[in-house]
Amino acid sequence: MDGSLDTVTGVDVSKGSRVRYLIVLMLFVVTSLNYADRATISIAGTPLAKDLGLDAVAMGYIFSAFGWAYVIGQIPGGWLLDRYGSKKIYALSIFFWSFFTFITGFIGNLTAFTAVVVLFTLRFLVGLSEAPSFPANSRIVASWFPTKERGTASAIFNSAQYFATVLFAPLMGWLTQQFGWKYVFFVMGALGMALSFVWLRTIYSPKEHPRINQAELDYIEGGGALVHMEQGKAEGAKTNQGFRWSDMKQLLRSRMLVGVYVGQYCITTLTYFFLTWFPVYLVKERGMSILQAGFVASLPALCGFVGGVLGGILSDFLLRKGYSLTIARKVPIVAGMLMSTSMIACNYIGTDWLVVTVMGLAFFGKGLGALGWAVVSDTSPKEMAGVSGGLFNTFGNIAGITTPIIIGYIVQGTGSFNGALVFVGANALIAIFSYLFIVGEIKRLELKQG
């Protein structure tokens, strides 16, 4: 048999175009900027807090403003995606979160109390604008990638959160050191607004992309890609499927999905520790300068990026070797979360380089286990992939509200980050429990009609 002939679809893959790789590259770039804009407040946080006179608890609430809006916007954002398609809604999302990031740079010109209120409001609006982003990523991957490539594709766009820190944390640290914290917001906001126009010229549904050939289309469709999901929506057409609460109830009554939601909440707790408090931990607990913290924070993030890509590759490798979808997805998740608990050891380490090494291992594990979006692509009902992804992201990003506030109170009450690291590590253990004992078999949920 010809080695280039796919055994599942019977398509000669050597004759296919590779447009799907361009699509996932664009998802990676946009998601990198997405997470960089989330992290602007943590990199600029120390001098910003000093200028505005904010303590740890106040900063915890400011950090959480994004999370409140992000959670509130998930279901409406998912509905908009299902109704109007990912291309248009995502473009608007990129532009507006970048616009609100840009104007954050002007709050230093306001009086202290007014500045705090405006800062909270702007971070809230950034979160609301970003709400459709990850459900859109999941929809696009489900429509462009066959099942056996979906884990890697999802891991690539999800690993962008670590690459964002690798690339942008040193840049933002340098901008803060050289020009002041406001320029972090100016530069990152301008980049995003420009990127929204690139997005419109790059993203299409599989059936409508001008560069795809029939061989690639046959290959991805035969392998399980939902190639019709986005078709016709880029120009503004509406789907006939309306939102129904009965369908939502079916999602919430699925033991499999509830277990996935719990696991994602715990995994996202780790994400928000690294996004919000980790640079502050390096400055206040480890005595580093802001510039040092920006560079040092990028090292564990690099490990997370490698782990994130390897998690998807490992999952798809297990799938190709004949293991079930359940085993292929759960093995990297459980192994990665076990590694993440190693961060607790930093409470007993006095050497900075060893702390960075252990945090690198924890971040690698977090990346390895961050396969939730692949699981969502595998399990979401095809009729409501956007709403399903939004509901998943709602539960996960409640951690964006709770984690910054809880850690703020722990640090304020104890005067150290020791309890905070225990809290974050414990969440990794709960994620393991959820996937092993609640989720059960991973499969696509079929909605009951009527």
Side-chain angles (χ1 to χ4, degrees), residues 9-20 144 206-223 227-228 231:
T9 63
V11 175
D12 186 352
V13 294
S14 67
K15 295 181 179 179
S17 51
R18 298 289 187 270
V19 177
R20 65 191 184 280
W144 270 96
K207 292 275 188 176
E208 296 165 336
H209 202 290
R211 295 178 58 186
I212 194 171
N213 65 12
Q214 193 62 43
E216 183 178 17
L217 189 60
D218 291 343
Y219 169 67
I220 65 175
E221 186 172 14
V227 297
H228 298 282
Q231 190 172 0

Side-chain angles (χ1 to χ4, degrees), residues 4 7 13 18 26 45 47 80 93 99 200 207 211 303 305 326 354 368:
S4 63
T7 58
V13 294
R18 298 289 187 270
M26 192 63 187
L80 287 170
S93 174
F99 173 73
L200 288 171
K207 292 275 188 176
R211 295 178 58 186
C303 296
F305 170 72
T326 302
L354 191 53
L368 191 73

Side-chain angles (χ1 to χ4, degrees), residues 174-232:
W174 177 78
L175 286 170
T176 303
Q177 190 88 353
Q178 292 296 116
F179 305 104
W181 56 264
K182 63 180 66 177
Y183 284 90
V184 170
F185 299 103
F186 292 151
V187 171
M188 300 307 299
L191 284 174
M193 286 187 283
L195 185 61
S196 66
F197 295 99
V198 177
W199 172 270
L200 288 171
R201 299 295 301 271
T202 307
I203 298 297
Y204 300 86
S205 72
K207 292 275 188 176
E208 296 165 336
H209 202 290
R211 295 178 58 186
I212 194 171
N213 65 12
Q214 193 62 43
E216 183 178 17
L217 189 60
D218 291 343
Y219 169 67
I220 65 175
E221 186 172 14
L226 306 178
V227 297
H228 298 282
M229 183 165 57
E230 295 285 341
Q231 190 172 0

